[in-house]
Structure formats: structure tokens, C-alpha cells
Amino acid sequence: MSESLKNTNAPESAIMPEWITVAEACRFASVSKPVIYDWMNRGLVRNFAARERGQVRGVRRVSSDSLRAFMDSRSTGGGK
């Protein structure tokens, strides 16, 4: 797990990096990789592939802000 996602006393929004790996997104959202990829493929969560020019493979990064916003949009309750 990256240092930025470890449990600290700082507020979560202050320590979450802007772009996280798919594995980190899975841990944050408590869902599986296929669920994260489904959300990305449906355009519900922003993402990009960090790769060298001309390469097929790369590292997929997920926007932590869009992941949080998507989860917030699907939340219920809270008394507001």
C-alpha cells in the first residue's frame, strides 16, 4: 500500500493523492478490480494509462477525486 493511503491522524482528503493505482482504488472503495474497471469503462470514474509512446501496456491511474465523487453520488442517508 502506498504511504499516502496508510492510516494516519490527518484527514483522509488531505493525504489522498490526486491519481491512484487501480489496486489502491479497490482498497479505498472496498470493491474488486472488475468493478473499478467497469466504472472506468462506463465513464463513471476518470482514469488514464501512464505508458511510453508506442507502448501497449502501462500503469492505469484513477482519479481519487472522481472516485470519491462517484461514491458520494451513490451514497444514501446522512440526514441532509
Side-chain angles (χ1 to χ4, degrees):
M1 181 180 286
S2 75
E3 290 297 317
S4 61
L5 293 180
K6 286 186 177 176
N7 190 10
T8 66
N9 292 332
E12 187 174 326
S13 60
I15 61 170
M16 178 80 77
E18 184 175 354
W19 295 97
I20 58 178
T21 65
V22 172
E24 291 169 332
C26 291
R27 285 190 293 272
F28 175 74
S30 299
V31 297
S32 66
K33 280 185 178 182
V35 171
I36 295 290
Y37 278 103
D38 179 55
W39 292 347
M40 291 188 301
N41 290 335
R42 292 172 34 201
L44 301 172
V45 176
R46 291 178 43 227
N47 67 93
F48 76 97
R51 60 181 175 238
E52 297 292 324
R53 183 182 301 269
Q55 296 297 309
V56 176
R57 296 176 57 102
V59 177
R60 181 68 50 183
R61 297 289 177 164
V62 178
S63 164
S64 60
D65 291 339
S66 71
L67 179 59
R68 185 184 317 277
F70 170 71
M71 291 174 64
D72 285 345
S73 74
R74 298 302 198 266
S75 67
T76 59
K80 284 189 174 184

